Amino acid sequence: MLCTRLTNAYVLTMDPDHPVAHDLGIWRGRIVGLDDAVTSLPAREVIDLQGATVLPGFIDSHVHLAWTGLKASTPSVAPCRRVEDVLAVVREAVARRSTPGAWVDVAGYDQRALGRHLTAAELDRVSDGRKVFLMHDSGHACVVNSAVLELLPADVPHQDGFLAESAMTAARRLRLPYSQAELADAIERAAGMCLAEGVTACAEAGIGGGLLGHSPVELGAYQLLRDQGRLSLRVQLMAAGDTLRPLPAHRDDGIPRSLDLGLRTGFGDDWLSVGALKIYTDGGMMARTAALTSPYEGMTHTGQLQQDPEALADLIVDGHLAGWQLAVHAIGDRAADIALDALERAQRLRRRLDARHRIEHAGLIRPDQLPRFARLGLSAVIQPNFLRYFGDDYAAIMGEERAAWMYRGRAFLDHGVTLVGSSDRPVTDGSPLRAIQFMVERASTSGQIIGPEEGITVDEALRAYTVAGAYASRWDDSAGTLTPGKRADLVVLADDPRRVDPSRIGDIEVLATFVDGRDAKEAHKL
């Protein structure tokens, strides 16, 4: 007897051998058959979907769950467009902290709305002796007041309280880590947001490290959720590259650096596992720290790298030699050069044909870099909603020629590069459907078309969030298609994204999200 049979559905399986089905059978969290194989079988529950469209659950291959959940409960200056309004929000947040000398977190900071960065002196006026930490929406910078600057080593660079990249990391490390219980609550909140948008699995893009890690024991927060039955979607955890350290290992193992006990990609199970090693090479376009080979349009600087180029390359090579899948953050083309050079060196030293290394973001990729992606078998894990929401600004700072190279679609596919969709939530909107709409239209919210030649088909965009997402996270044997034997993780939509006008894709209603064969809303009530 089946546990559940979905009937009267329009099932887009993403499997070319059986592309469309109308009945789907589920037993113990797995798909056991389609159409005639299950139509006549008894089931404990039969759900008539009344013609709704069913797809494999979306996979968000680059997300920050803990940061998302924490940000949702943090005072935000996001709507503010005047310095005075920002300072009013900070003043109110400070007033809520009764302990003198306490840290005050404020989210939603973006200098573009203000026309310039805030200064430490301005924050001092409203901080009342507290330590103020204003997090940039990119995750790559912050503004702090003098109470924080006084605690930093003298060699940490800043511009009137603005700290970027490694300088921000120095400020974050002044603080005590969040408790595992706090992090677990935040992750649970973020997971609910993902499920509401049809996401059934995701890759947490960096835990335990300095830039966006929240605790050296951050992994324990996920285990706590799992132990308590509160982990509502599948999560793969990327360890931050700076958590690797030299360990004594047998010379035949060829491991220069590792996590304790030799832990690496693949440890875990279907619900919680260790994924790629996350290595940051540069910053981001929003903070103007993505590393470019030529200056930003109308500016003199070319962004910045996280470390010395040789140190970054050595970390990439060491991670490869230690057996990790690598997820190398490279937004600017200069950062991509460093990543590509290092990955080529790593493969020369030890050939790993199925390493499935990934370039996270791949925000600005020159034409000459595309064949190198293909030769190395890399996946490009992009964030289409970056251009949907920030595209007008990004196009302006890149200039006409380079704007067409941003967050590519068609060029990657034409070169045989696996194109993977993701959100980088909470940097911007996490909706896969709105991202899919952008991948087809290449239109920002203002209507500006950015790199129209990089547009792809709806089917190709859906693959980026299903089949390709499963491949990039090494889940392709159990997810990505609605095939017998795979996990019964799926999303039910009010319309078929392939049949509506592309401009309507982002507004399609998510009717239900199933994880492990159960409606996530109903399962959460248990």
Side-chain angles (χ1 to χ4, degrees):
M1 175 179 284
L2 300 173
C3 296
T4 306
R5 185 172 74 247
L6 306 182
T7 190
N8 191 19
Y10 188 69
V11 183
L12 302 179
T13 67
M14 305 306 294
D15 176 6
D17 293 333
H18 193 150
V20 177
H22 300 285
D23 278 25
L24 183 148
I26 300 169
W27 185 71
R28 293 189 177 181
R30 294 277 170 168
I31 298 167
V32 294
L34 302 166
D35 290 338
D36 292 345
V38 297
T39 300
S40 60
L41 295 180
R44 294 192 186 97
E45 181 182 30
V46 177
I47 302 176
D48 185 344
L49 291 179
Q50 301 178 14
T53 297
V54 176
L55 278 160
F58 296 129
I59 297 171
D60 191 335
S61 297
H62 185 118
V63 66
H64 300 280
L65 294 177
W67 180 19
T68 298
L70 291 168
K71 183 178 180 180
S73 59
T74 300
S76 177
V77 299
C80 302
R81 304 190 67 84
R82 300 188 310 153
V83 170
E84 294 78 8
D85 296 334
V86 170
L87 295 178
V89 173
V90 175
R91 181 184 290 110
E92 184 177 346
V94 166
R96 296 176 190 166
R97 300 305 299 265
S98 58
T99 306
W103 285 84
V104 177
D105 287 300
V106 180
Y109 174 66
D110 185 345
Q111 84 286 353
R112 296 174 304 173
L114 305 176
R116 65 171 177 85
H117 281 296
L118 285 175
T119 67
E122 288 170 327
L123 290 177
D124 289 345
R125 300 204 312 259
V126 295
S127 59
D128 194 26
R130 274 67 169 180
K131 303 177 188 73
V132 176
F133 188 99
L134 206 60
M135 183 72 167
H136 196 278
D137 262 347
S138 68
H140 287 268
C142 64
V143 178
V144 300
N145 65 342
S146 297
V148 177
L149 294 178
E150 290 167 359
L151 300 175
L152 289 171
D155 61 347
V156 173
H158 71 90
Q159 299 172 355
D160 296 325
F162 175 72
L163 302 163
E165 309 302 344
S166 59
M168 183 191 73
T169 299
R172 289 174 68 92
R173 285 179 170 159
L174 294 172
R175 310 179 60 173
L176 292 174
Y178 288 92
S179 72
Q180 289 189 349
E182 287 177 289
L183 291 175
D185 289 345
I187 294 160
E188 187 176 35
R189 282 194 294 273
M193 300 177 199
C194 292
L195 290 167
E197 294 175 335
V199 175
T200 58
C202 63
E204 167 71 65
I207 63 167
L211 192 63
L212 282 176
H214 297 89
S215 165
V217 293
E218 194 167 356
L219 189 149
Y222 290 87
Q223 288 186 288
L224 178 62
L225 281 175
R226 179 75 190 277
D227 292 345
Q228 295 177 346
R230 296 162 55 199
L231 190 61
S232 54
L233 78 171
R234 304 182 196 276
V235 181
Q236 190 176 83
L237 303 172
M238 299 186 199
D242 52 359
T243 60
L244 260 63
R245 61 190 183 91
L247 291 175
H250 194 282
R251 63 186 179 189
D252 290 349
D253 292 335
I255 298 175
R257 280 185 273 183
S258 180
L259 294 186
D260 288 345
L261 305 179
L263 195 70
R264 60 175 172 83
T265 304
F267 185 82
D269 60 21
D270 276 352
W271 281 95
L272 184 62
S273 60
V274 176
L277 183 71
K278 173 72 177 295
I279 298 175
Y280 289 94
T281 63
D282 68 344
M285 291 185 189
M286 191 189 303
R288 311 315 195 220
T289 53
L292 311 178
T293 51
S294 300
Y296 287 87
E297 191 77 5
M299 307 177 198
T300 59
H301 70 282
T302 57
Q304 67 186 80
L305 299 171
Q306 295 286 349
Q307 299 181 61
D308 176 81
E310 288 75 19
L312 290 171
D314 287 346
L315 179 57
I316 290 169
V317 171
D318 286 357
H320 173 89
L321 295 177
W324 285 89
Q325 179 189 19
L326 301 178
V328 184
H329 168 117
I331 292 185
D333 61 329
R334 178 160 58 108
D337 280 335
I338 290 171
L340 293 167
D341 289 346
L343 289 167
E344 284 179 348
R345 174 156 67 97
Q347 289 285 13
R348 285 196 300 270
L349 291 171
R350 180 177 298 165
R351 188 72 169 157
R352 291 174 53 204
L353 295 177
D354 194 35
R356 302 199 194 183
H357 295 324
R358 312 156 37 139
I359 300 296
E360 307 299 298
H361 307 295
L364 186 74
I365 301 301
R366 302 187 310 270
D368 63 288
Q369 293 173 320
L370 293 166
R372 300 183 70 191
F373 268 73
R375 285 197 301 271
L376 287 164
L378 302 176
S379 296
V381 184
I382 65 166
Q383 297 74 42
N385 276 336
F386 277 16
L387 291 190
R388 177 177 172 84
Y389 293 96
F390 312 139
D392 294 358
D393 173 58
Y394 286 10
I397 62 172
M398 288 300 128
E400 184 176 355
E401 181 183 32
R402 290 185 298 181
W405 303 345
M406 294 191 299
Y407 297 94
R408 292 175 179 270
R410 174 56 52 204
F412 281 131
L413 292 178
D414 286 351
H415 281 80
V417 175
T418 300
L419 179 67
V420 183
S422 69
S423 70
D424 205 12
R425 186 195 303 262
V427 176
T428 191
D429 187 342
S431 166
L433 287 171
R434 283 189 281 275
I436 287 165
Q437 177 177 326
F438 176 83
M439 295 171 85
V440 176
E441 293 185 319
R442 300 288 298 189
S444 72
T445 53
S446 75
Q448 181 178 350
I449 304 299
I450 303 166
E453 65 277 10
E454 292 296 333
I456 61 176
T457 68
V458 176
D459 277 312
E460 289 167 334
L462 289 172
R463 285 183 62 85
Y465 277 90
T466 55
V467 176
Y471 174 85
S473 296
R474 309 185 74 90
W475 282 328
D476 45 316
D477 62 340
S478 60
T481 63
L482 298 178
T483 306
K486 291 194 176 183
R487 304 188 301 228
D489 298 350
L490 50 93
V491 58
V492 182
L493 303 177
D495 283 301
D496 177 359
R498 305 178 313 169
R499 294 181 175 180
V500 303
D501 187 275
S503 64
R504 290 184 51 218
I505 293 174
D507 295 323
I508 293 175
E509 182 182 359
V510 176
L511 299 176
T513 304
F514 284 72
V515 182
D516 214 35
R518 296 190 297 172
D519 187 319
K521 288 182 181 178
E522 297 303 316
H524 196 64
K525 295 176 184 178
L526 299 178

